[in-house]
Amino acid sequence: MTDTLPIAVAQFAPTADAAANIEAVAHLVATASARGARVIVFPEYSSYFVDPFDESLTAHAQPLDGPFVQALTEMAGTHHMVIVAGLLERGSDEQRVRNTAVAVDGTGLIAHYRKLHLYDAFGQRESDWVEPGEPAPPQTFELAGLRFGLMTCYDLRFPEVGRLLVDAGADVFLVPAEWVRGPLKEHHWRTLLHARAIENTVFVAAADHPPPLGVGNSLIVDPLGVELAAVGTSTDVAVAHLDVGAIGRVRRVNPALALRRFGVQPR
């Protein structure tokens, strides 16, 4: 019998009401748990979000051991899951915050990643409000024979982030996002998710905000670029059963990683 690991992507629209965000996350975690999921990925800025960004960001930023992570830890323990979500984390000063993805199980924080590439593109200036993470060894976690690595939203446009994760042993990329709508943006989102899966021969699971701000289309892709499960434009959960043996089989047929001639160095 094939070993599989059920994982979920959860699509919802976080707001400036932190308590309501936790309630929404709790509902979607319970839904995913009822469908058998053992890992669930939520969007970027799940703890707090306002559009456009303003000074309220710093007032609602939290530490890594703050109320949002504590709530996730309780949910993870109740449902025996790993929960990955975007946290508005306190920055190093009073001016900017950090855009952080946290991975939590029933014991607490097991990995966190601060977004490296800020969204200073398509007329936006995330760096006016957010400080970038520093290049560092990827933080990963393991579950049921698979290693999971984190990246965030705009990082998808930088394939070297995926290379660093796969070089750290990641079999699955988890991607919280707030992929802003615009001309061809849904096409970019879907293309980049499939490309990161294909070029690294990994699974990719990505969660976005739904329209009108995000493009929706939260989805899970396998190492050959096949979509396993997806949410359209609604608030919902999609679950896929990852074949734990697929990574090895695909890499025997397509040994692209072993044939690489270049590595990645930070700058």
Side-chain angles (χ1 to χ4, degrees), residues 235-260:
T235 295
D236 204 351
V237 167
V239 177
H241 294 254
L242 306 191
D243 179 351
V244 175
I247 299 289
R249 292 196 304 273
V250 170
R251 289 178 182 173
R252 283 192 292 273
V253 174
N254 175 23
L257 293 176
L259 297 173
R260 288 164 59 197

Side-chain angles (χ1 to χ4, degrees), residues 83-128:
I83 302 172
V84 175
L87 168 71
L88 188 68
E89 186 194 359
R90 286 180 185 163
S92 59
D93 56 41
E94 297 294 323
Q95 305 304 314
R96 294 193 294 176
V97 298
R98 292 186 175 113
N99 182 338
T100 303
V102 295
V104 175
D105 68 8
T107 69
L109 189 70
I110 57 173
H112 69 279
Y113 165 77
R114 292 171 177 140
K115 188 177 183 181
L116 286 173
H117 299 95
L118 300 183
Y119 188 57
D120 289 359
F122 295 93
Q124 306 288 319
R125 286 280 304 176
E126 188 177 26
S127 65
D128 288 345

Side-chain angles (χ1 to χ4, degrees), residues 78-188:
T78 297
H79 295 282
H80 307 289
M81 296 173 67
V82 175
I83 302 172
V84 175
L87 168 71
L88 188 68
E89 186 194 359
R90 286 180 185 163
S92 59
D93 56 41
E94 297 294 323
Q95 305 304 314
R96 294 193 294 176
V97 298
R98 292 186 175 113
N99 182 338
T100 303
V102 295
V104 175
D105 68 8
T107 69
L109 189 70
I110 57 173
H112 69 279
Y113 165 77
R114 292 171 177 140
K115 188 177 183 181
L116 286 173
H117 299 95
L118 300 183
Y119 188 57
D120 289 359
F122 295 93
Q124 306 288 319
R125 286 280 304 176
E126 188 177 26
S127 65
D128 288 345
W129 304 96
V130 179
E131 61 179 89
E134 292 296 323
Q139 289 200 37
T140 63
F141 66 89
E142 292 186 46
L143 184 66
L146 292 172
R147 184 179 293 271
F148 296 80
L150 307 174
M151 69 168 72
T152 304
C153 199
Y154 192 51
D155 286 326
L156 282 170
R157 293 185 182 272
F158 300 85
E160 57 270 26
V161 177
R163 290 303 205 204
L164 290 173
L165 286 175
V166 81
D167 284 347
D171 303 301
V172 188
F173 297 169
L174 304 180
V175 191
E178 201 290 287
W179 200 265
V180 180
R181 289 177 68 82
L184 296 177
K185 293 294 292 298
E186 180 180 328
H187 171 62
H188 292 185

